[in-house]
Amino acid sequence: MSFTVEERGNANSLSYRLFFKNAEGKYISPFHDIPIYADESQNIFHMVVEVPRWTNAKMEIATKDILNPIKQDVKKGKLRYVANVFPHKGYIWNYGAIPQTWEDPAHKDGDTDCCGDNDPIDVCEIGSRVCTRGEVIKVKVLGILAMIDEGETDWKVIAINVEDPEAKDFNNISDVQRLKPGYLEATVDWFRRYKVPDGKPENRFAFNEEFKDKDFAIEVIKSTHNFWKALIGQQTKAGELNCKNTCVSSGDSPFCCSADEARAAVGEVRFLSPLSKSQHIDKWFYYERK
């Protein structure tokens, strides 16, 4: 199963969009149409890479737009870039999401005592290669971190690309602690402090900031997949989410998007030339740890 992407709009601008196609060249939604599993029998999941390692632009699957292309997050009319909070540079992993998952904002998690953040579940891929934006990779899940972001549950799955040369050595979160000492501590530090330069408080974590193991992580992923199935099956209110898809819903579903409708949606975003990058990402931010 292979996927390609098509860039539209101006890079580094509000118009930028990254649309997805399947192997047949059909436009698809990375949120709804890419299967959650690459190999269900082995618990190998698909991951959509939104932000390559070391980059700063806060790209994400646009859950409220038709076909859910990747676009840059916006705050108060301005494009969002994560700050280089000392000693980090941009994102310290390949960052993205597992398709066909959804953290239900109406469900209060029993472990975190907070509701979901209304997004697909996030993934931090720790392999040796820097991925490209929009790449769809197959990952082995290793563990999970429960972040509390402004009162919402925001799970962070730790995983590794199955094609990474080191993948055979990583089978659980304890292997990350053993083979990449300091990486998990850096991950907690990154998520705790990345919003501070924007005037936000430090983020909190459940489980006393401890990572849970592979089995726990897989159960969390499966629960978010069940929430997604209820969403796409119209058993849960979608709210502002755009659930249009070209491969999953049947023809009589309001979520079914025809090929013509998909092409028209993509065609509304013109091909344009790139703009210069924001100077914001060439700065760094230092503040003393508490």
Side-chain angles (χ1 to χ4, degrees):
M1 186 173 291
S2 62
F3 307 93
T4 57
V5 292
E6 181 178 304
E7 288 187 298
R8 292 261 178 166
N10 281 338
N12 308 308
S13 79
L14 296 173
S15 68
Y16 179 82
R17 299 291 186 275
L18 190 68
F19 290 96
F20 286 72
K21 294 180 179 179
N22 62 14
E24 290 74 45
K26 183 178 184 179
Y27 288 112
I28 60 171
S29 158
F31 186 5
H32 306 299
D33 289 316
I34 296 176
I36 179 176
Y37 289 106
D39 184 345
E40 185 173 2
S41 67
Q42 299 297 316
N43 281 318
I44 303 300
F45 297 88
H46 281 123
M47 171 187 173
V48 178
V49 177
E50 297 165 312
V51 187
R53 182 189 279 116
W54 311 136
T55 63
N56 299 73
K58 194 176 188 305
M59 295 286 177
E60 58 187 19
I61 292 171
T63 59
K64 298 176 183 177
D65 293 3
I66 188 170
L67 293 180
N68 314 118
I70 288 178
K71 70 177 183 181
Q72 192 164 353
D73 192 21
V74 176
K75 199 78 168 181
K76 296 180 180 179
K78 293 184 178 181
L79 297 172
R80 286 188 67 189
Y81 296 87
V82 299
N84 298 312
V85 181
F86 179 83
H88 310 298
K89 168 65 177 77
Y91 286 72
I92 61 173
W93 346 256
N94 295 302
Y95 190 70
I98 296 178
Q100 296 186 343
T101 63
W102 178 53
E103 296 195 51
D104 186 351
H107 171 77
K108 179 176 282 190
D109 187 273
D111 293 311
T112 66
D113 199 35
C114 294
C115 295
D117 70 350
N118 205 30
D119 284 325
I121 198 166
D122 297 322
V123 189
C124 303
E125 193 279 319
I126 66 168
S128 55
R129 185 170 66 87
V130 176
C131 293
T132 57
R133 183 187 304 150
E135 192 172 350
V136 180
I137 61 175
K138 302 172 184 179
V139 297
K140 181 196 302 188
V141 170
L142 305 174
I144 198 166
L145 177 68
M147 188 174 86
I148 310 300
D149 186 354
E150 299 183 34
E152 296 177 332
T153 301
D154 193 0
W155 294 104
K156 306 298 181 184
V157 175
I158 306 300
I160 189 167
N161 189 337
V162 296
E163 297 180 359
D164 192 276
E166 297 180 337
K168 65 182 185 303
D169 300 321
F170 289 85
N171 296 292
N172 214 322
I173 200 69
S174 58
D175 296 320
V176 184
Q177 295 165 331
R178 179 173 56 88
L179 298 172
K180 293 184 184 292
Y183 201 3
L184 296 180
E185 291 81 357
T187 294
V188 172
D189 181 67
W190 195 97
F191 280 119
R192 177 189 289 117
R193 302 193 296 143
Y194 82 102
K195 287 187 175 182
V196 172
D198 297 325
K200 298 288 183 68
E202 293 184 349
N203 284 320
R204 299 181 296 109
F205 305 88
F207 305 113
N208 197 30
E209 302 183 359
E210 294 178 0
F211 288 80
K212 305 301 284 185
D213 66 10
K214 174 181 182 175
D215 291 340
F216 188 99
I218 289 173
E219 288 307 309
V220 171
I221 294 168
K222 287 180 177 179
S223 71
T224 63
H225 181 52
N226 287 333
F227 292 140
W228 172 83
K229 287 194 289 187
L231 173 70
I232 210 72
Q234 302 178 71
Q235 298 166 15
T236 303
K237 291 183 179 180
E240 295 182 348
L241 296 178
N242 195 309
C243 296
K244 286 276 190 177
N245 62 85
T246 59
C247 302
V248 176
S249 297
S250 58
D252 59 350
S253 168
F255 295 155
C256 180
C257 182
S258 69
D260 288 342
E261 185 181 1
R263 282 192 295 269
V266 175
E268 289 181 1
V269 185
R270 297 188 300 161
F271 287 113
L272 296 172
S273 59
L275 301 177
S276 61
K277 68 178 181 180
S278 169
Q279 296 303 306
H280 179 76
I281 66 174
D282 292 325
K283 298 178 181 179
W284 73 307
F285 184 86
Y286 181 90
Y287 81 98
E288 189 174 356
R289 290 188 179 97
K290 297 178 182 178

